[in-house]
PDB file of all heavy atoms in Angstrom:
ATOM      1  N   THR A   1       0.839  -1.198   0.000  1.00  0.00           N
ATOM      2  CA  THR A   1       0.000   0.000   0.000  1.00  0.00           C
ATOM      3  C   THR A   1       0.876   1.251   0.000  1.00  0.00           C
ATOM      4  O   THR A   1       2.059   1.196   0.347  1.00  0.00           O
ATOM      5  CB  THR A   1      -0.908   0.052   1.236  1.00  0.00           C
ATOM      6  OG1 THR A   1      -0.100   0.222   2.403  1.00  0.00           O
ATOM      7  CG2 THR A   1      -1.769  -1.202   1.369  1.00  0.00           C
ATOM      8  N   ALA A   2       0.261   2.365  -0.347  1.00  0.00           N
ATOM      9  CA  ALA A   2       0.970   3.642  -0.334  1.00  0.00           C
ATOM     10  C   ALA A   2       1.452   3.976   1.075  1.00  0.00           C
ATOM     11  O   ALA A   2       2.587   4.426   1.256  1.00  0.00           O
ATOM     12  CB  ALA A   2       0.064   4.749  -0.874  1.00  0.00           C
ATOM     13  N   MET A   3       0.627   3.742   2.073  1.00  0.00           N
ATOM     14  CA  MET A   3       0.999   4.054   3.458  1.00  0.00           C
ATOM     15  C   MET A   3       2.229   3.252   3.901  1.00  0.00           C
ATOM     16  O   MET A   3       3.158   3.803   4.482  1.00  0.00           O
ATOM     17  CB  MET A   3      -0.182   3.787   4.397  1.00  0.00           C
ATOM     18  CG  MET A   3       0.108   4.125   5.847  1.00  0.00           C
ATOM     19  SD  MET A   3      -1.266   3.676   6.915  1.00  0.00           S
ATOM     20  CE  MET A   3      -2.160   5.203   6.892  1.00  0.00           C
ATOM     21  N   GLN A   4       2.232   1.962   3.608  1.00  0.00           N
ATOM     22  CA  GLN A   4       3.390   1.124   3.932  1.00  0.00           C
ATOM     23  C   GLN A   4       4.629   1.594   3.181  1.00  0.00           C
ATOM     24  O   GLN A   4       5.722   1.652   3.742  1.00  0.00           O
ATOM     25  CB  GLN A   4       3.118  -0.338   3.574  1.00  0.00           C
ATOM     26  CG  GLN A   4       2.111  -1.039   4.420  1.00  0.00           C
ATOM     27  CD  GLN A   4       1.765  -2.421   3.855  1.00  0.00           C
ATOM     28  OE1 GLN A   4       2.092  -2.756   2.718  1.00  0.00           O
ATOM     29  NE2 GLN A   4       1.088  -3.226   4.664  1.00  0.00           N
ATOM     30  N   ALA A   5       4.451   1.933   1.903  1.00  0.00           N
ATOM     31  CA  ALA A   5       5.579   2.358   1.075  1.00  0.00           C
ATOM     32  C   ALA A   5       6.235   3.604   1.648  1.00  0.00           C
ATOM     33  O   ALA A   5       7.464   3.674   1.757  1.00  0.00           O
ATOM     34  CB  ALA A   5       5.100   2.627  -0.343  1.00  0.00           C
ATOM     35  N   LEU A   6       5.445   4.573   2.035  1.00  0.00           N
ATOM     36  CA  LEU A   6       5.996   5.824   2.546  1.00  0.00           C
ATOM     37  C   LEU A   6       6.652   5.634   3.911  1.00  0.00           C
ATOM     38  O   LEU A   6       7.681   6.253   4.198  1.00  0.00           O
ATOM     39  CB  LEU A   6       4.917   6.901   2.577  1.00  0.00           C
ATOM     40  CG  LEU A   6       4.385   7.259   1.181  1.00  0.00           C
ATOM     41  CD1 LEU A   6       3.255   8.271   1.286  1.00  0.00           C
ATOM     42  CD2 LEU A   6       5.497   7.745   0.271  1.00  0.00           C
ATOM     43  N   ALA A   7       6.089   4.759   4.736  1.00  0.00           N
ATOM     44  CA  ALA A   7       6.713   4.464   6.030  1.00  0.00           C
ATOM     45  C   ALA A   7       8.083   3.815   5.828  1.00  0.00           C
ATOM     46  O   ALA A   7       9.057   4.193   6.489  1.00  0.00           O
ATOM     47  CB  ALA A   7       5.803   3.562   6.866  1.00  0.00           C
ATOM     48  N   LEU A   8       8.172   2.858   4.917  1.00  0.00           N
ATOM     49  CA  LEU A   8       9.456   2.201   4.640  1.00  0.00           C
ATOM     50  C   LEU A   8      10.442   3.161   3.981  1.00  0.00           C
ATOM     51  O   LEU A   8      11.644   3.111   4.254  1.00  0.00           O
ATOM     52  CB  LEU A   8       9.245   0.962   3.771  1.00  0.00           C
ATOM     53  CG  LEU A   8       8.635  -0.239   4.484  1.00  0.00           C
ATOM     54  CD1 LEU A   8       8.250  -1.327   3.490  1.00  0.00           C
ATOM     55  CD2 LEU A   8       9.597  -0.790   5.527  1.00  0.00           C
ATOM     56  N   ALA A   9       9.955   4.043   3.131  1.00  0.00           N
ATOM     57  CA  ALA A   9      10.839   5.024   2.494  1.00  0.00           C
ATOM     58  C   ALA A   9      11.424   5.965   3.540  1.00  0.00           C
ATOM     59  O   ALA A   9      12.608   6.303   3.485  1.00  0.00           O
ATOM     60  CB  ALA A   9      10.076   5.804   1.429  1.00  0.00           C
ATOM     61  N   ARG A  10      10.606   6.385   4.499  1.00  0.00           N
ATOM     62  CA  ARG A  10      11.114   7.244   5.585  1.00  0.00           C
ATOM     63  C   ARG A  10      12.188   6.505   6.389  1.00  0.00           C
ATOM     64  O   ARG A  10      13.190   7.085   6.776  1.00  0.00           O
ATOM     65  CB  ARG A  10       9.982   7.642   6.528  1.00  0.00           C
ATOM     66  CG  ARG A  10       9.184   8.803   6.070  1.00  0.00           C
ATOM     67  CD  ARG A  10       8.149   9.227   7.121  1.00  0.00           C
ATOM     68  NE  ARG A  10       7.112  10.000   6.495  1.00  0.00           N
ATOM     69  CZ  ARG A  10       5.977   9.509   6.011  1.00  0.00           C
ATOM     70  NH1 ARG A  10       5.703   8.229   6.091  1.00  0.00           N
ATOM     71  NH2 ARG A  10       5.107  10.307   5.433  1.00  0.00           N
ATOM     72  N   GLN A  11      11.945   5.242   6.632  1.00  0.00           N
ATOM     73  CA  GLN A  11      12.868   4.448   7.456  1.00  0.00           C
ATOM     74  C   GLN A  11      14.194   4.194   6.738  1.00  0.00           C
ATOM     75  O   GLN A  11      15.253   4.303   7.343  1.00  0.00           O
ATOM     76  CB  GLN A  11      12.215   3.113   7.806  1.00  0.00           C
ATOM     77  CG  GLN A  11      13.090   2.189   8.613  1.00  0.00           C
ATOM     78  CD  GLN A  11      12.397   0.858   8.909  1.00  0.00           C
ATOM     79  OE1 GLN A  11      11.223   0.663   8.631  1.00  0.00           O
ATOM     80  NE2 GLN A  11      13.157  -0.067   9.460  1.00  0.00           N
ATOM     81  N   TRP A  12      14.147   3.856   5.455  1.00  0.00           N
ATOM     82  CA  TRP A  12      15.339   3.391   4.743  1.00  0.00           C
ATOM     83  C   TRP A  12      15.938   4.389   3.760  1.00  0.00           C
ATOM     84  O   TRP A  12      17.089   4.237   3.360  1.00  0.00           O
ATOM     85  CB  TRP A  12      15.023   2.096   3.978  1.00  0.00           C
ATOM     86  CG  TRP A  12      14.827   0.948   4.883  1.00  0.00           C
ATOM     87  CD1 TRP A  12      13.633   0.402   5.285  1.00  0.00           C
ATOM     88  CD2 TRP A  12      15.836   0.179   5.520  1.00  0.00           C
ATOM     89  NE1 TRP A  12      13.854  -0.646   6.121  1.00  0.00           N
ATOM     90  CE2 TRP A  12      15.206  -0.819   6.288  1.00  0.00           C
ATOM     91  CE3 TRP A  12      17.231   0.224   5.508  1.00  0.00           C
ATOM     92  CZ2 TRP A  12      15.914  -1.742   7.033  1.00  0.00           C
ATOM     93  CZ3 TRP A  12      17.938  -0.699   6.261  1.00  0.00           C
ATOM     94  CH2 TRP A  12      17.281  -1.672   7.012  1.00  0.00           C
ATOM     95  N   CYS A  13      15.172   5.357   3.302  1.00  0.00           N
ATOM     96  CA  CYS A  13      15.598   6.284   2.243  1.00  0.00           C
ATOM     97  C   CYS A  13      16.324   5.500   1.134  1.00  0.00           C
ATOM     98  O   CYS A  13      17.531   5.640   0.928  1.00  0.00           O
ATOM     99  CB  CYS A  13      16.466   7.402   2.799  1.00  0.00           C
ATOM    100  SG  CYS A  13      16.491   8.810   1.673  1.00  0.00           S
ATOM    101  N   PRO A  14      15.583   4.644   0.422  1.00  0.00           N
ATOM    102  CA  PRO A  14      16.200   3.765  -0.576  1.00  0.00           C
ATOM    103  C   PRO A  14      16.795   4.529  -1.754  1.00  0.00           C
ATOM    104  O   PRO A  14      16.427   5.668  -2.019  1.00  0.00           O
ATOM    105  CB  PRO A  14      15.029   2.888  -1.036  1.00  0.00           C
ATOM    106  CG  PRO A  14      13.821   3.712  -0.768  1.00  0.00           C
ATOM    107  CD  PRO A  14      14.129   4.538   0.445  1.00  0.00           C
ATOM    108  N   ASP A  15      17.707   3.865  -2.443  1.00  0.00           N
ATOM    109  CA  ASP A  15      18.306   4.414  -3.653  1.00  0.00           C
ATOM    110  C   ASP A  15      17.384   4.227  -4.846  1.00  0.00           C
ATOM    111  O   ASP A  15      17.339   5.061  -5.748  1.00  0.00           O
ATOM    112  CB  ASP A  15      19.644   3.725  -3.938  1.00  0.00           C
ATOM    113  CG  ASP A  15      20.604   3.864  -2.772  1.00  0.00           C
ATOM    114  OD1 ASP A  15      20.899   5.011  -2.392  1.00  0.00           O
ATOM    115  OD2 ASP A  15      21.019   2.823  -2.224  1.00  0.00           O
ATOM    116  N   VAL A  16      16.662   3.099  -4.849  1.00  0.00           N
ATOM    117  CA  VAL A  16      15.739   2.757  -5.932  1.00  0.00           C
ATOM    118  C   VAL A  16      14.443   2.244  -5.319  1.00  0.00           C
ATOM    119  O   VAL A  16      14.468   1.458  -4.374  1.00  0.00           O
ATOM    120  CB  VAL A  16      16.332   1.669  -6.868  1.00  0.00           C
ATOM    121  CG1 VAL A  16      15.303   1.173  -7.868  1.00  0.00           C
ATOM    122  CG2 VAL A  16      17.572   2.189  -7.583  1.00  0.00           C
ATOM    123  N   VAL A  17      13.329   2.694  -5.888  1.00  0.00           N
ATOM    124  CA  VAL A  17      12.014   2.159  -5.516  1.00  0.00           C
ATOM    125  C   VAL A  17      11.391   1.577  -6.772  1.00  0.00           C
ATOM    126  O   VAL A  17      11.311   2.246  -7.802  1.00  0.00           O
ATOM    127  CB  VAL A  17      11.089   3.250  -4.928  1.00  0.00           C
ATOM    128  CG1 VAL A  17       9.683   2.695  -4.700  1.00  0.00           C
ATOM    129  CG2 VAL A  17      11.663   3.802  -3.634  1.00  0.00           C
ATOM    130  N   VAL A  18      10.982   0.313  -6.681  1.00  0.00           N
ATOM    131  CA  VAL A  18      10.207  -0.318  -7.735  1.00  0.00           C
ATOM    132  C   VAL A  18       8.754  -0.104  -7.337  1.00  0.00           C
ATOM    133  O   VAL A  18       8.321  -0.580  -6.287  1.00  0.00           O
ATOM    134  CB  VAL A  18      10.517  -1.826  -7.863  1.00  0.00           C
ATOM    135  CG1 VAL A  18       9.652  -2.450  -8.944  1.00  0.00           C
ATOM    136  CG2 VAL A  18      11.998  -2.053  -8.136  1.00  0.00           C
ATOM    137  N   LEU A  19       8.006   0.644  -8.146  1.00  0.00           N
ATOM    138  CA  LEU A  19       6.663   1.082  -7.774  1.00  0.00           C
ATOM    139  C   LEU A  19       5.628   0.579  -8.765  1.00  0.00           C
ATOM    140  O   LEU A  19       5.697   0.877  -9.958  1.00  0.00           O
ATOM    141  CB  LEU A  19       6.640   2.613  -7.705  1.00  0.00           C
ATOM    142  CG  LEU A  19       5.319   3.301  -7.388  1.00  0.00           C
ATOM    143  CD1 LEU A  19       4.747   2.824  -6.053  1.00  0.00           C
ATOM    144  CD2 LEU A  19       5.522   4.815  -7.380  1.00  0.00           C
ATOM    145  N   ASP A  20       4.677  -0.171  -8.250  1.00  0.00           N
ATOM    146  CA  ASP A  20       3.547  -0.633  -9.051  1.00  0.00           C
ATOM    147  C   ASP A  20       2.656   0.564  -9.373  1.00  0.00           C
ATOM    148  O   ASP A  20       2.442   1.437  -8.533  1.00  0.00           O
ATOM    149  CB  ASP A  20       2.766  -1.671  -8.240  1.00  0.00           C
ATOM    150  CG  ASP A  20       1.674  -2.371  -9.017  1.00  0.00           C
ATOM    151  OD1 ASP A  20       1.517  -2.121 -10.221  1.00  0.00           O
ATOM    152  OD2 ASP A  20       0.956  -3.185  -8.409  1.00  0.00           O
ATOM    153  N   VAL A  21       2.132   0.609 -10.565  1.00  0.00           N
ATOM    154  CA  VAL A  21       1.280   1.713 -10.991  1.00  0.00           C
ATOM    155  C   VAL A  21      -0.056   1.701 -10.242  1.00  0.00           C
ATOM    156  O   VAL A  21      -0.589   2.739  -9.896  1.00  0.00           O
ATOM    157  CB  VAL A  21       1.061   1.656 -12.519  1.00  0.00           C
ATOM    158  CG1 VAL A  21      -0.081   2.544 -12.953  1.00  0.00           C
ATOM    159  CG2 VAL A  21       2.338   2.044 -13.232  1.00  0.00           C
ATOM    160  N   SER A  22      -0.579   0.530  -9.957  1.00  0.00           N
ATOM    161  CA  SER A  22      -1.887   0.415  -9.311  1.00  0.00           C
ATOM    162  C   SER A  22      -1.758  -0.408  -8.033  1.00  0.00           C
ATOM    163  O   SER A  22      -1.529  -1.615  -8.090  1.00  0.00           O
ATOM    164  CB  SER A  22      -2.872  -0.253 -10.273  1.00  0.00           C
ATOM    165  OG  SER A  22      -4.134  -0.354  -9.690  1.00  0.00           O
ATOM    166  N   LEU A  23      -1.923   0.255  -6.894  1.00  0.00           N
ATOM    167  CA  LEU A  23      -1.770  -0.426  -5.606  1.00  0.00           C
ATOM    168  C   LEU A  23      -3.117  -0.870  -5.044  1.00  0.00           C
ATOM    169  O   LEU A  23      -4.171  -0.358  -5.414  1.00  0.00           O
ATOM    170  CB  LEU A  23      -1.057   0.491  -4.614  1.00  0.00           C
ATOM    171  CG  LEU A  23       0.358   0.889  -5.019  1.00  0.00           C
ATOM    172  CD1 LEU A  23       0.909   1.925  -4.057  1.00  0.00           C
ATOM    173  CD2 LEU A  23       1.249  -0.337  -5.075  1.00  0.00           C
ATOM    174  N   ARG A  24      -3.051  -1.791  -4.129  1.00  0.00           N
ATOM    175  CA  ARG A  24      -4.232  -2.400  -3.535  1.00  0.00           C
ATOM    176  C   ARG A  24      -5.164  -1.382  -2.890  1.00  0.00           C
ATOM    177  O   ARG A  24      -6.374  -1.530  -2.904  1.00  0.00           O
ATOM    178  CB  ARG A  24      -3.775  -3.424  -2.491  1.00  0.00           C
ATOM    179  CG  ARG A  24      -4.886  -4.260  -1.941  1.00  0.00           C
ATOM    180  CD  ARG A  24      -4.340  -5.401  -1.135  1.00  0.00           C
ATOM    181  NE  ARG A  24      -3.701  -6.339  -2.053  1.00  0.00           N
ATOM    182  CZ  ARG A  24      -2.876  -7.293  -1.694  1.00  0.00           C
ATOM    183  NH1 ARG A  24      -2.562  -7.431  -0.433  1.00  0.00           N
ATOM    184  NH2 ARG A  24      -2.348  -8.104  -2.569  1.00  0.00           N
ATOM    185  N   ASP A  25      -4.616  -0.327  -2.321  1.00  0.00           N
ATOM    186  CA  ASP A  25      -5.449   0.657  -1.625  1.00  0.00           C
ATOM    187  C   ASP A  25      -6.057   1.687  -2.576  1.00  0.00           C
ATOM    188  O   ASP A  25      -6.606   2.692  -2.146  1.00  0.00           O
ATOM    189  CB  ASP A  25      -4.669   1.347  -0.511  1.00  0.00           C
ATOM    190  CG  ASP A  25      -3.390   2.029  -1.001  1.00  0.00           C
ATOM    191  OD1 ASP A  25      -3.090   1.984  -2.206  1.00  0.00           O
ATOM    192  OD2 ASP A  25      -2.686   2.593  -0.161  1.00  0.00           O
ATOM    193  N   GLY A  26      -5.980   1.415  -3.878  1.00  0.00           N
ATOM    194  CA  GLY A  26      -6.604   2.283  -4.863  1.00  0.00           C
ATOM    195  C   GLY A  26      -5.703   3.384  -5.383  1.00  0.00           C
ATOM    196  O   GLY A  26      -6.085   4.118  -6.290  1.00  0.00           O
ATOM    197  N   ASP A  27      -4.507   3.517  -4.857  1.00  0.00           N
ATOM    198  CA  ASP A  27      -3.594   4.552  -5.320  1.00  0.00           C
ATOM    199  C   ASP A  27      -3.013   4.142  -6.662  1.00  0.00           C
ATOM    200  O   ASP A  27      -2.636   3.001  -6.869  1.00  0.00           O
ATOM    201  CB  ASP A  27      -2.472   4.759  -4.297  1.00  0.00           C
ATOM    202  CG  ASP A  27      -1.575   5.903  -4.690  1.00  0.00           C
ATOM    203  OD1 ASP A  27      -1.917   7.056  -4.389  1.00  0.00           O
ATOM    204  OD2 ASP A  27      -0.538   5.627  -5.320  1.00  0.00           O
ATOM    205  N   ARG A  28      -2.911   5.081  -7.573  1.00  0.00           N
ATOM    206  CA  ARG A  28      -2.329   4.825  -8.881  1.00  0.00           C
ATOM    207  C   ARG A  28      -0.812   4.947  -8.862  1.00  0.00           C
ATOM    208  O   ARG A  28      -0.176   4.926  -9.894  1.00  0.00           O
ATOM    209  CB  ARG A  28      -2.903   5.783  -9.914  1.00  0.00           C
ATOM    210  CG  ARG A  28      -4.205   5.338 -10.454  1.00  0.00           C
ATOM    211  CD  ARG A  28      -3.970   4.394 -11.623  1.00  0.00           C
ATOM    212  NE  ARG A  28      -5.215   4.088 -12.260  1.00  0.00           N
ATOM    213  CZ  ARG A  28      -5.552   2.870 -12.620  1.00  0.00           C
ATOM    214  NH1 ARG A  28      -4.770   1.863 -12.385  1.00  0.00           N
ATOM    215  NH2 ARG A  28      -6.687   2.662 -13.205  1.00  0.00           N
ATOM    216  N   GLY A  29      -0.225   5.108  -7.733  1.00  0.00           N
ATOM    217  CA  GLY A  29       1.218   5.229  -7.647  1.00  0.00           C
ATOM    218  C   GLY A  29       1.692   6.673  -7.679  1.00  0.00           C
ATOM    219  O   GLY A  29       2.802   6.973  -7.270  1.00  0.00           O
ATOM    220  N   TYR A  30       0.837   7.579  -8.159  1.00  0.00           N
ATOM    221  CA  TYR A  30       1.234   8.988  -8.225  1.00  0.00           C
ATOM    222  C   TYR A  30       1.498   9.572  -6.840  1.00  0.00           C
ATOM    223  O   TYR A  30       2.436  10.343  -6.664  1.00  0.00           O
ATOM    224  CB  TYR A  30       0.163   9.833  -8.933  1.00  0.00           C
ATOM    225  CG  TYR A  30       0.162   9.687 -10.428  1.00  0.00           C
ATOM    226  CD1 TYR A  30      -0.876   9.038 -11.072  1.00  0.00           C
ATOM    227  CD2 TYR A  30       1.202  10.202 -11.195  1.00  0.00           C
ATOM    228  CE1 TYR A  30      -0.887   8.906 -12.454  1.00  0.00           C
ATOM    229  CE2 TYR A  30       1.204  10.067 -12.573  1.00  0.00           C
ATOM    230  CZ  TYR A  30       0.159   9.419 -13.191  1.00  0.00           C
ATOM    231  OH  TYR A  30       0.155   9.279 -14.554  1.00  0.00           O
ATOM    232  N   THR A  31       0.678   9.193  -5.877  1.00  0.00           N
ATOM    233  CA  THR A  31       0.859   9.710  -4.516  1.00  0.00           C
ATOM    234  C   THR A  31       2.226   9.314  -3.976  1.00  0.00           C
ATOM    235  O   THR A  31       2.952  10.139  -3.424  1.00  0.00           O
ATOM    236  CB  THR A  31      -0.241   9.172  -3.576  1.00  0.00           C
ATOM    237  OG1 THR A  31      -1.512   9.535  -4.107  1.00  0.00           O
ATOM    238  CG2 THR A  31      -0.083   9.708  -2.172  1.00  0.00           C
ATOM    239  N   VAL A  32       2.566   8.062  -4.144  1.00  0.00           N
ATOM    240  CA  VAL A  32       3.861   7.573  -3.664  1.00  0.00           C
ATOM    241  C   VAL A  32       4.986   8.262  -4.424  1.00  0.00           C
ATOM    242  O   VAL A  32       5.951   8.744  -3.817  1.00  0.00           O
ATOM    243  CB  VAL A  32       3.966   6.034  -3.791  1.00  0.00           C
ATOM    244  CG1 VAL A  32       5.347   5.553  -3.399  1.00  0.00           C
ATOM    245  CG2 VAL A  32       2.895   5.355  -2.944  1.00  0.00           C
ATOM    246  N   LEU A  33       4.866   8.340  -5.732  1.00  0.00           N
ATOM    247  CA  LEU A  33       5.898   8.970  -6.553  1.00  0.00           C
ATOM    248  C   LEU A  33       6.128  10.421  -6.125  1.00  0.00           C
ATOM    249  O   LEU A  33       7.261  10.843  -5.907  1.00  0.00           O
ATOM    250  CB  LEU A  33       5.515   8.899  -8.037  1.00  0.00           C
ATOM    251  CG  LEU A  33       6.487   9.511  -9.035  1.00  0.00           C
ATOM    252  CD1 LEU A  33       7.863   8.860  -8.934  1.00  0.00           C
ATOM    253  CD2 LEU A  33       5.929   9.374 -10.445  1.00  0.00           C
ATOM    254  N   ARG A  34       5.056  11.181  -5.976  1.00  0.00           N
ATOM    255  CA  ARG A  34       5.187  12.585  -5.557  1.00  0.00           C
ATOM    256  C   ARG A  34       5.805  12.699  -4.175  1.00  0.00           C
ATOM    257  O   ARG A  34       6.655  13.554  -3.927  1.00  0.00           O
ATOM    258  CB  ARG A  34       3.823  13.262  -5.577  1.00  0.00           C
ATOM    259  CG  ARG A  34       3.398  13.666  -6.956  1.00  0.00           C
ATOM    260  CD  ARG A  34       2.139  14.530  -6.897  1.00  0.00           C
ATOM    261  NE  ARG A  34       1.288  14.176  -8.013  1.00  0.00           N
ATOM    262  CZ  ARG A  34       0.148  13.516  -7.926  1.00  0.00           C
ATOM    263  NH1 ARG A  34      -0.333  13.154  -6.763  1.00  0.00           N
ATOM    264  NH2 ARG A  34      -0.534  13.237  -9.004  1.00  0.00           N
ATOM    265  N   SER A  35       5.377  11.853  -3.264  1.00  0.00           N
ATOM    266  CA  SER A  35       5.894  11.901  -1.894  1.00  0.00           C
ATOM    267  C   SER A  35       7.363  11.521  -1.825  1.00  0.00           C
ATOM    268  O   SER A  35       8.108  12.086  -1.032  1.00  0.00           O
ATOM    269  CB  SER A  35       5.080  10.978  -0.988  1.00  0.00           C
ATOM    270  OG  SER A  35       3.740  11.418  -0.920  1.00  0.00           O
ATOM    271  N   LEU A  36       7.787  10.577  -2.665  1.00  0.00           N
ATOM    272  CA  LEU A  36       9.187  10.158  -2.661  1.00  0.00           C
ATOM    273  C   LEU A  36      10.128  11.284  -3.067  1.00  0.00           C
ATOM    274  O   LEU A  36      11.255  11.352  -2.583  1.00  0.00           O
ATOM    275  CB  LEU A  36       9.394   8.948  -3.579  1.00  0.00           C
ATOM    276  CG  LEU A  36       8.868   7.624  -3.054  1.00  0.00           C
ATOM    277  CD1 LEU A  36       8.936   6.557  -4.150  1.00  0.00           C
ATOM    278  CD2 LEU A  36       9.621   7.185  -1.822  1.00  0.00           C
ATOM    279  N   THR A  37       9.672  12.171  -3.932  1.00  0.00           N
ATOM    280  CA  THR A  37      10.535  13.272  -4.341  1.00  0.00           C
ATOM    281  C   THR A  37      10.874  14.183  -3.165  1.00  0.00           C
ATOM    282  O   THR A  37      11.922  14.825  -3.166  1.00  0.00           O
ATOM    283  CB  THR A  37       9.901  14.108  -5.479  1.00  0.00           C
ATOM    284  OG1 THR A  37       8.675  14.664  -5.027  1.00  0.00           O
ATOM    285  CG2 THR A  37       9.658  13.257  -6.709  1.00  0.00           C
ATOM    286  N   HIS A  38      10.009  14.208  -2.151  1.00  0.00           N
ATOM    287  CA  HIS A  38      10.265  15.019  -0.955  1.00  0.00           C
ATOM    288  C   HIS A  38      10.982  14.213   0.133  1.00  0.00           C
ATOM    289  O   HIS A  38      11.883  14.725   0.785  1.00  0.00           O
ATOM    290  CB  HIS A  38       8.959  15.588  -0.401  1.00  0.00           C
ATOM    291  CG  HIS A  38       8.257  16.463  -1.380  1.00  0.00           C
ATOM    292  ND1 HIS A  38       8.730  17.704  -1.765  1.00  0.00           N
ATOM    293  CD2 HIS A  38       7.125  16.271  -2.101  1.00  0.00           C
ATOM    294  CE1 HIS A  38       7.916  18.229  -2.655  1.00  0.00           C
ATOM    295  NE2 HIS A  38       6.938  17.383  -2.887  1.00  0.00           N
ATOM    296  N   LEU A  39      10.565  12.960   0.305  1.00  0.00           N
ATOM    297  CA  LEU A  39      11.158  12.119   1.352  1.00  0.00           C
ATOM    298  C   LEU A  39      12.589  11.701   1.031  1.00  0.00           C
ATOM    299  O   LEU A  39      13.449  11.697   1.905  1.00  0.00           O
ATOM    300  CB  LEU A  39      10.325  10.846   1.543  1.00  0.00           C
ATOM    301  CG  LEU A  39       8.990  10.977   2.233  1.00  0.00           C
ATOM    302  CD1 LEU A  39       8.244   9.650   2.177  1.00  0.00           C
ATOM    303  CD2 LEU A  39       9.183  11.420   3.671  1.00  0.00           C
ATOM    304  N   CYS A  40      12.814  11.301  -0.190  1.00  0.00           N
ATOM    305  CA  CYS A  40      14.105  10.766  -0.628  1.00  0.00           C
ATOM    306  C   CYS A  40      14.450  11.383  -1.987  1.00  0.00           C
ATOM    307  O   CYS A  40      14.295  10.732  -3.028  1.00  0.00           O
ATOM    308  CB  CYS A  40      14.048   9.247  -0.755  1.00  0.00           C
ATOM    309  SG  CYS A  40      13.448   8.392   0.689  1.00  0.00           S
ATOM    310  N   PRO A  41      14.883  12.628  -1.998  1.00  0.00           N
ATOM    311  CA  PRO A  41      15.076  13.337  -3.268  1.00  0.00           C
ATOM    312  C   PRO A  41      16.080  12.693  -4.215  1.00  0.00           C
ATOM    313  O   PRO A  41      16.014  12.922  -5.425  1.00  0.00           O
ATOM    314  CB  PRO A  41      15.528  14.730  -2.839  1.00  0.00           C
ATOM    315  CG  PRO A  41      15.882  14.641  -1.408  1.00  0.00           C
ATOM    316  CD  PRO A  41      15.213  13.446  -0.842  1.00  0.00           C
ATOM    317  N   ASN A  42      16.985  11.882  -3.728  1.00  0.00           N
ATOM    318  CA  ASN A  42      17.971  11.233  -4.601  1.00  0.00           C
ATOM    319  C   ASN A  42      17.545   9.836  -5.049  1.00  0.00           C
ATOM    320  O   ASN A  42      18.288   9.156  -5.750  1.00  0.00           O
ATOM    321  CB  ASN A  42      19.329  11.165  -3.905  1.00  0.00           C
ATOM    322  CG  ASN A  42      19.881  12.551  -3.653  1.00  0.00           C
ATOM    323  OD1 ASN A  42      19.738  13.442  -4.483  1.00  0.00           O
ATOM    324  ND2 ASN A  42      20.483  12.745  -2.496  1.00  0.00           N
ATOM    325  N   CYS A  43      16.378   9.423  -4.640  1.00  0.00           N
ATOM    326  CA  CYS A  43      15.859   8.097  -4.974  1.00  0.00           C
ATOM    327  C   CYS A  43      15.412   8.056  -6.436  1.00  0.00           C
ATOM    328  O   CYS A  43      14.813   8.995  -6.942  1.00  0.00           O
ATOM    329  CB  CYS A  43      14.670   7.810  -4.052  1.00  0.00           C
ATOM    330  SG  CYS A  43      13.793   6.313  -4.441  1.00  0.00           S
ATOM    331  N   GLU A  44      15.719   6.962  -7.106  1.00  0.00           N
ATOM    332  CA  GLU A  44      15.244   6.741  -8.468  1.00  0.00           C
ATOM    333  C   GLU A  44      14.049   5.799  -8.402  1.00  0.00           C
ATOM    334  O   GLU A  44      14.097   4.782  -7.709  1.00  0.00           O
ATOM    335  CB  GLU A  44      16.337   6.126  -9.334  1.00  0.00           C
ATOM    336  CG  GLU A  44      17.503   7.059  -9.576  1.00  0.00           C
ATOM    337  CD  GLU A  44      18.507   6.452 -10.515  1.00  0.00           C
ATOM    338  OE1 GLU A  44      19.276   5.588 -10.062  1.00  0.00           O
ATOM    339  OE2 GLU A  44      18.514   6.829 -11.697  1.00  0.00           O
ATOM    340  N   VAL A  45      12.984   6.147  -9.110  1.00  0.00           N
ATOM    341  CA  VAL A  45      11.767   5.338  -9.094  1.00  0.00           C
ATOM    342  C   VAL A  45      11.578   4.692 -10.451  1.00  0.00           C
ATOM    343  O   VAL A  45      11.605   5.367 -11.483  1.00  0.00           O
ATOM    344  CB  VAL A  45      10.529   6.193  -8.738  1.00  0.00           C
ATOM    345  CG1 VAL A  45       9.264   5.333  -8.748  1.00  0.00           C
ATOM    346  CG2 VAL A  45      10.719   6.860  -7.370  1.00  0.00           C
TER     347      VAL A  45
END
C-alpha cells in the first residue's frame, strides 16, 4: 500500500524504488511517486 511504502521510504531512504502503478489501496502510484521526491530526493523510481 501507499501508506506502507511511505513508512518504509522514511525508514530506509532507498536508492531505488520499484513502484507498481496500481496499488491495492486504490492509489495509482502517483501519490507515492510525488511523496518520494520530498522524502528521498535522490531516490530513483
Side-chain angles (χ1 to χ4, degrees):
T1 67
M3 182 184 269
Q4 290 172 347
L6 296 176
L8 286 170
R10 277 185 200 92
Q11 178 181 353
W12 289 101
C13 200
D15 303 302
V16 172
V17 174
V18 178
L19 178 58
D20 188 3
V21 165
S22 181
L23 298 173
R24 188 169 290 165
D25 57 0
D27 185 84
R28 277 274 187 225
Y30 283 110
T31 303
V32 175
L33 180 58
R34 281 189 218 109
S35 297
L36 286 171
T37 61
H38 300 290
L39 287 173
C40 307
N42 296 322
C43 173
E44 293 184 283
V45 179

